[in-house]
Structures are given as C-alpha cells and as structure tokens.
Amino acid sequence: MFLALLELRAARGRFLLMGSVVVLVAALVGIVSGFTTGLGNDTVSALRGLPATHVAFASGSASDQFARGLVDDRTATGWGREERAEATPLGVTLTRGTTGRGTEVDLAAFGVVPGAFTDPGADAGAPLDAARPGGIVVSRRLVDEGVRVGDTLTVDRLGITLDVVGTTGRSAYGHVPVAYVTTDTWRRIRFTVPGATARPAELPAQYSAVALRLPSDAGAAALAAADRRHGTRTVTLEQAFAAAPGYDGERLTMTSIQSFLFLIAPLVVGAFFAVWTVQRTPELALLRALGASRRRLLGHTLAQAALVVAAGTATGGALASAVGLLVGAQVPFSLPATTLAATLGAVALVGLAGTALTLRRVATVDPMTLLGAAR
C-alpha cells in the first residue's frame, strides 16, 4: 500500500488524467440516471401515486390503453363484486384549458369518483365533491404555471367551465401536469364535441379503465377467469405504466445510454492500467527479484486502481448532484440518494473490473527481465 501511494504521488499527472476520465464517466452516468428517473416520474408519477394494485383495460387494448380503450359501468360494477376486490372507474385524457385570468395550460384530466381510493383529496383548498361536479383539484405544477384556487378554468374548444377548488401533489402524466375531476366531468371532457350541450346523463357511461385493489394472493388463473367474465385485460399497476405515452421508448433510450457507459468505464480504466503495467514492468520485475510475492503485487495494483476509481467516482457523483441542483425544476431531473449511491457503486465495480484485464500481466512478470532475459 505504501508503494502504491508513492507511485500515485510520483506519477500524479497520469493518475489525475485517468481520474478525470473516471470523474466524467461517473458524472455522466449519474446525470443520465437522474434524467431517467426524472423523465419516468414526469411520465407516470400520477399513475405511480394511485393506491391501486392492478388496472383493468378493455379486452383487446394494446398500446396507449388509456387513450384507446373504454370500459363501461357494468364492467366496473362487476369487478367490484369480485371477492375481496375494490374497483372504481378511472378516466384519463389530455386536454388544454384557460383560466379566467388568461393563463393557458396543458393538463391531464384524471376522472375519479369522489371519496374512492383513487381520489387524492387536497393538500390545500377543498377535495372533489360529488355535490359540486364542476370542481377540479390541480397539481401544484399547475400552480407553478399560474393556476390558483378560486380560478375558473375553461376547457378549450368545449367551453366546459370548472372551478379550481384545491391543489394536490406534483403529479404528472405524459409530461403534462395532472388535474383531478369527477367521473361525470371527465365524461363531458372525453365525449363532448365543440358546440354540444349534452348533459352527463346523455353521455356514454364509459371510462378509460378500472382501478383495482386486489389481495396479494390473487393468482394469475383467478385474474384470467375474472377477465373472461368482465371482458377486460388486467395488468399490475407497474405494467400499466407502459400505457402512458412515450414511457417505454424513453426508458429504453436512457437505459441504452447507461448500458453503453457501463461498458465504456471498464474499457477505459482497463486500458489505462494495461499501459501503466507495461511501462512499469521493470519495477515489478525488480520487486519480484527482491522477494515480493505475486499476491503482494496484485494487491499493490488493485490498491492503486481502487483509490483512483473511488476518488473519481465520488467526485463524479458530487458533480452529478450539482447538475441536479443547477437545473432544479426546469427539467425533469430526479436523483435520490439511494439511486445515486447504487449508480456510483455500479460505476466503481465496473471500473475495478476493468483493472482485472491487467492482473495476469502483473502476476506473471518475470524477475529475469532485469538480467536481460527478454533480449
């Protein structure tokens, strides 16, 4: 270990250069991880926040189930009659609105039954009330865009006027802030055409899906049988994330970038230490001639690699965190401490794995090199 530190000090320029590369790789992996988590939250945080275990879509729905599939009241009622099951209709649609003060916003309207387990309540103001079907509870992200409790929000093109009664969370769906309305109001938004004045009773009693709370021991066979009875396709809540627009594509893209970075890290670290090992082969041969064991030489090499990789990874993690603080809420970036620690741990491990490429040459160095046996 003492010799390893001496070499680090003597060749600090080379090790600083290598450490800088590790810093950049670790920082880039951390930043990509932050964007991966942030984009995921910005796409499905409203779904992730649902206190549901499963979601039942219309049978035959494939991609974008929330936008393309519809289930009716009978389906929701039928699921509610299943043993140990809680079911409530759920509507999801993207729309636009304008407040009475002229603030234009995009929003994802989530239709929920007031008081049901999908109703988020309100952190400020009042929750949804079946007696006031024209109320709307908005995400605090809409508050950041200028929507206030007490405002009147008019849904564009449809002329549907809603009263902002409360705020809740910072949930989003498809990168659009969420607003919660009653299922009757959601059906007006979903099925009303511009210029029409249809009342809720005249609109189809249909919804995007049925949110379910099922017991943990619900088996696949029981779910399949219930799906056949109700004409639905039931998936877990996590699987329902794929129904959000762009979720799968974004995760695949960001995960691919991370994977390539994890491949680059060991190659870069391994290449550096391979060259470093070749350059100091005479010194290693001298140590072997003086009686140093192979185990000691391997420990010496691993100690140097561990110090460089650990210091570079820690600095890269600090840099990634600083980027997160810098961008703030301007972009979808989220890097919790647990995610950062797991990411940096993976970077350090793959970096040390790259060092393994040089260990064979260190272990097989020939003391006779000093006597010119190589010539």
Side-chain angles (χ1 to χ4, degrees), residues 10 128 203 228 233 248 295 297 308 320 330 348:
L128 293 175
L203 297 172
R228 288 192 294 270
R233 173 176 170 269
D248 282 343
R295 182 176 180 181
L297 293 184
V308 173
Q330 300 174 7

Side-chain angles (χ1 to χ4, degrees), residues 12 54 69-71 81 93 163 181 184 189 194 211-212 218 226 242 275 286 301 310 312 317 351 353 361:
R12 55 182 174 271
H54 294 75
L70 290 171
V71 297
R81 291 172 180 166
T93 192
D163 298 321
V181 296
D184 283 346
I189 296 173
L212 304 171
V275 173
L286 175 60
T301 302
R361 188 177 186 90

Side-chain angles (χ1 to χ4, degrees), residues 187 191 197-205:
R187 290 191 297 118
F191 298 113
T197 57
R199 293 174 297 181
E202 300 171 344
L203 297 172

Side-chain angles (χ1 to χ4, degrees), residues 210-258:
V210 179
L212 304 171
R213 284 208 294 202
L214 303 178
S216 58
D217 58 352
L223 283 178
D227 278 335
R228 288 192 294 270
R229 286 193 295 271
H230 306 301
T232 55
R233 173 176 170 269
T234 301
V235 299
T236 63
L237 183 63
E238 290 74 18
Q239 290 172 333
F241 295 166
Y247 179 74
D248 282 343
E250 288 175 355
R251 288 191 65 82
L252 179 61
T253 299
M254 303 306 288
T255 303
S256 299
I257 295 174
Q258 279 186 302

Side-chain angles (χ1 to χ4, degrees), residues 33-53:
S33 180
F35 278 118
T36 301
T37 305
L39 287 170
N41 289 338
D42 208 45
T43 305
V44 299
S45 60
L47 297 178
R48 188 176 285 127
L50 287 176
T53 60

